[in-house]
Amino acid sequence: TPVFVEAPWNETLEMVSDGRADIHAGLFFTRARDNILDFTAPLLDLDYYLFSHKTVLGIINPTDALPFRIGVPAGGYTEGYTKEQLPGASLVTYPDYPRLFQAADRGEIRVFVAPWLNLQYHLHQQGTENEYRYTRTTPFYNKTYRGAVRKGNQELAELVNRGMALISEEERA
């Protein structure tokens, strides 16, 4: 029986690389991560958007968000990418998306970067309406998610690949 372990994002890579977890459910490929992990085949492409509370008007381009404090998860790709794309932005970091979304719900931040799927899950879990807007035609960025296993555990990576290949496109959707 699989055991799912929840942990702050910045601990998850270390957990897989040191053997406390067998598989990372999804992350982006980077050269640094490739030094400590072996990756599975692509699992899904994920669009990240710059969200704003529905009372914030006029955010059409990412630079329109510069007057606001922007929430991002701490220590991950999103934080670095946002700093790179929006130099001088005032970033507020959170350990994970649930806490980022809770801060947005409380009004602590009015602008944040997240995948639509994560926000949709949060709203469903909270039983709340969508209070946020984004430009649906233009993601802030897109990345391909892959699973990952401890470096050298190609057998497990291949097992994941074979299992995922059995899931139809309809089931994945």
Side-chain angles (χ1 to χ4, degrees):
T1 303
V3 175
F4 294 91
V5 179
E6 186 177 347
W9 167 254
N10 56 356
E11 293 177 26
T12 60
L13 300 178
E14 186 178 312
M15 290 174 69
V16 175
S17 69
D18 70 15
R20 287 180 285 151
D22 296 313
I23 300 171
H24 196 292
L27 68 165
F28 313 138
F29 174 90
T30 67
R31 286 188 193 131
R33 292 173 183 169
D34 191 39
N35 290 330
I36 59 170
L37 303 170
D38 284 333
F39 289 85
T40 68
L43 301 175
L44 79 140
D45 287 329
L46 197 57
D47 291 332
Y48 283 68
Y49 292 93
L50 191 64
F51 289 92
S52 60
H53 189 268
K54 67 181 182 182
T55 59
V56 174
L57 303 176
I59 296 182
I60 298 167
N61 300 305
T63 55
D64 297 332
L66 284 172
F68 299 92
R69 296 173 344 119
I70 302 170
V72 296
Y77 181 86
T78 300
E79 181 180 4
Y81 183 84
T82 304
K83 284 179 181 176
E84 178 185 302
Q85 295 299 307
L86 299 173
S90 175
L91 300 186
V92 183
T93 61
Y94 297 90
D96 51 38
Y97 280 112
R99 285 179 255 194
L100 184 150
F101 297 144
Q102 290 165 0
D105 291 344
R106 289 189 308 268
E108 188 177 306
I109 54 172
R110 296 174 58 203
V111 177
F112 57 90
V113 178
W116 169 239
L117 287 175
N118 291 51
L119 178 58
Q120 199 173 25
Y121 177 79
H122 168 76
L123 295 171
H124 176 76
Q125 291 296 106
Q126 299 300 313
T128 57
E129 291 184 31
N130 186 5
E131 296 288 311
Y132 308 99
R133 67 175 81 220
Y134 65 103
T135 306
R136 288 181 173 88
T137 57
T138 311
F140 187 50
Y141 70 90
N142 173 285
K143 283 291 192 178
T144 300
Y145 263 69
R146 299 170 178 269
V149 300
R150 187 176 191 173
K151 193 72 171 172
N153 197 349
Q154 272 298 328
E155 185 178 333
L156 182 55
E158 286 304 315
L159 180 64
V160 171
N161 288 340
R162 286 193 306 272
M164 293 303 293
L166 297 173
I167 301 172
S168 71
E169 289 300 318
E170 294 80 26
E171 288 173 309
R172 282 182 184 237

